[in-house]
Amino acid sequence: MGIDNVTYNLIKKGMDVTTLSGKVINNNISNVNTKDYKREYVNFDEALKEENSKNYELKKTSNKHMGFSADDIEVKKDNKSSMREDGNNVDIESEMTSAASNSLMYDALVKQANTRFNMRSTVIKGGN
């Protein structure tokens, strides 16, 4: 598999991870006052490392085969001790910081994908 395909797959996986992570963070924020709710999270680095190792192991018979889906991203539950007496362990400030960070990461990945598409378009058009 060429480096361009590996890079594209990593960017796409990153976008899938940040999309799911945004949903998980929003769910945590929505449940900040729910008794016994335990926050959930997506480990971005772990998901990308797993995808990177897959890119070099899988044989693909068509360029249309992606090799992964958003379904294989694991959402984990944080069952550590609760911060509050009601059993809820959501820290709203931490979740808001995570939401902002996640949004910045998604935007950076979109820009990276757009840059790659624009470069290919320029090459196809002969540099014009």
Side-chain angles (χ1 to χ4, degrees), residues 32-74:
V32 70
N33 292 319
T34 302
K35 182 180 180 196
D36 293 323
Y37 179 81
K38 301 298 182 191
R39 70 177 287 277
E40 296 178 334
Y41 64 97
V42 176
N43 189 329
F44 184 85
D45 293 337
E46 185 178 296
L48 286 187
K49 282 180 188 175
E50 182 178 317
E51 179 58 28
N52 194 30
S53 67
K54 282 183 188 178
N55 277 321
Y56 293 106
E57 293 173 7
L58 295 178
K59 301 266 190 240
K60 297 179 183 175
T61 58
S62 169
N63 287 337
K64 295 179 182 177
H65 296 170
M66 294 302 294
F68 63 85
S69 70
D71 296 335
D72 67 356
I73 303 168
E74 187 176 355

Side-chain angles (χ1 to χ4, degrees), residues 59-101:
K59 301 266 190 240
K60 297 179 183 175
T61 58
S62 169
N63 287 337
K64 295 179 182 177
H65 296 170
M66 294 302 294
F68 63 85
S69 70
D71 296 335
D72 67 356
I73 303 168
E74 187 176 355
V75 176
K76 298 180 180 180
K77 190 172 289 261
D78 182 359
N79 287 314
K80 66 182 180 188
S81 62
S82 300
M83 294 177 24
R84 302 184 334 212
E85 288 183 27
D86 67 356
N88 187 309
N89 68 349
V90 176
D91 177 2
I92 191 69
E93 291 178 10
S94 175
E95 295 299 324
M96 295 301 285
T97 301
S98 294
S101 175

Side-chain angles (χ1 to χ4, degrees), residues 7 10 15-16 25 29-30 32-34 40 46 52 59 68 70 89 97 105-106 108 111 120-121 123:
T7 304
L10 287 174
M15 292 173 71
D16 289 343
I25 291 166
I29 291 169
S30 296
V32 70
N33 292 319
T34 302
E40 296 178 334
E46 185 178 296
N52 194 30
K59 301 266 190 240
F68 63 85
N89 68 349
T97 301
M105 178 64 77
Y106 184 83
K111 286 178 185 176
R120 285 187 178 190
S121 176
V123 169

Side-chain angles (χ1 to χ4, degrees), residues 7-18:
T7 304
Y8 172 76
N9 284 346
L10 287 174
I11 291 170
K12 182 174 182 335
K13 181 68 168 201
M15 292 173 71
D16 289 343
V17 171
T18 53

